[in-house]
Amino acid sequence: KQDYIYYLRDYLYDTNNNVIVFKEENNALKKEIKELKKLLELKNTNYKLKYASVISRNTKDYFEEVIIDVGKKDGIKENLAVITKDGLIGKIIKVTNKTSTVRLITSSNIYNKISVNIEADNKSVTGIITSYDSLTNSLTIEGITENVNIQTGRLVTTTGLSDIYPSGILVGRVSRVMKDNFDLAYILKVEPTENLSSFHYVAVIVK
């Protein structure tokens, strides 16, 4: 009788654990489906897009690069912009026949400088994304020397000045406004509109 009680206890314990795992997997699947549906809304834009799934991400360099499941056979090449419905993800830096490597906008690579527009008063000013802080989830924008009023919450978008990123792609919103040590230029902190720590599907802007 005692053995049966132990068996029943273990059975109930395992069953409860299985239910918890199932619920977690189900919730994760729901989130991915929601993310995919949002991405498909991009079909109404003027961009020619190639949709892709993230198949690999280095846990040690989590905010540097991801690998997606489209490549040369899909018409992908280097220096194409990668986006989601919520904003800019990065650019293609390496292509194989079936996969591509995306350098994220959060990458610490010294060449990862992106020109952006920031809303200010009745105009926009231009700055450069120079770095990312994963602890505060904020991009840093520098190089704004114009004497303008920049407020938190203002939108940040790509300028289109490079051959990589078309103009008007959403990057984030200003979360903090500061001045440099000489009080000559603005330094902005920007919260990305896309959750760059957790995304599964992207779209490549094919030129």
Side-chain angles (χ1 to χ4, degrees):
K1 184 177 182 180
Q2 192 173 23
D3 289 342
Y4 176 74
I5 292 174
Y6 287 149
Y7 167 78
L8 185 60
R9 181 196 63 186
D10 291 342
Y11 174 78
L12 291 174
Y13 178 79
D14 290 340
T15 300
N16 183 60
N17 281 345
N18 288 336
V19 169
I20 292 173
V21 170
F22 175 76
K23 285 183 176 179
E24 290 176 347
E25 290 178 346
N26 189 46
N27 288 336
L29 184 58
K30 285 181 178 178
K31 286 178 66 177
E32 288 192 28
I33 291 174
K34 183 178 179 181
E35 181 184 344
L36 185 56
K37 284 182 177 178
K38 285 180 64 178
L39 185 67
L40 293 176
E41 292 176 16
L42 285 170
K43 67 182 181 181
N44 298 319
T45 65
N46 295 323
Y47 302 130
K48 182 180 178 182
L49 303 172
K50 192 70 181 180
Y51 298 104
S53 300
V54 176
I55 57 174
S56 178
R57 189 166 189 169
N58 190 329
T59 55
K60 291 183 179 179
D61 298 312
Y62 200 72
F63 291 99
E64 295 295 317
E65 300 173 356
V66 298
I67 297 176
I68 57 178
D69 64 350
V70 292
K72 291 178 182 177
K73 67 179 182 61
D74 305 291
I76 306 301
K77 57 185 179 181
E78 292 181 6
N79 291 327
L80 295 181
V82 181
I83 62 174
T84 68
K85 179 64 169 60
D86 291 327
L88 184 63
I89 293 294
K91 68 176 181 179
I92 303 291
I93 60 167
K94 182 180 179 182
V95 184
T96 68
N97 191 43
K98 295 182 179 180
T99 66
S100 299
T101 301
V102 180
R103 177 178 292 152
L104 304 178
I105 61 172
T106 51
S107 172
S108 59
N109 187 284
I110 60 171
Y111 298 108
N112 201 44
K113 311 299 182 187
I114 302 172
S115 175
V116 291
N117 281 331
I118 305 97
E119 293 180 336
D121 298 327
N122 296 320
K123 59 182 292 186
S124 64
V125 293
T126 302
I128 301 292
I129 296 176
T130 58
S131 62
Y132 173 74
D133 185 346
S134 61
L135 295 179
T136 60
N137 183 35
S138 61
L139 297 160
T140 298
I141 295 178
E142 300 182 56
I144 305 169
T145 56
E146 293 185 57
N147 185 22
V148 292
N149 179 28
I150 301 175
Q151 299 177 351
T152 58
R154 292 298 179 92
L155 292 176
V156 178
T157 58
T158 53
T159 62
L161 295 177
S162 76
D163 294 330
I164 300 173
Y165 306 106
S167 64
I169 299 176
L170 188 59
V171 174
R173 289 183 179 274
V174 176
S175 57
R176 189 179 176 191
V177 181
M178 303 170 289
K179 283 291 192 75
D180 65 12
N181 293 334
F182 303 99
D183 198 33
L184 297 175
Y186 284 104
I187 298 175
L188 306 180
K189 296 296 183 180
V190 173
E191 181 180 356
T193 44
E194 172 58 66
N195 181 1
L196 292 160
S197 65
S198 178
F199 60 93
H200 305 88
Y201 305 102
V202 299
V204 183
I205 300 179
V206 182
K207 298 179 181 179

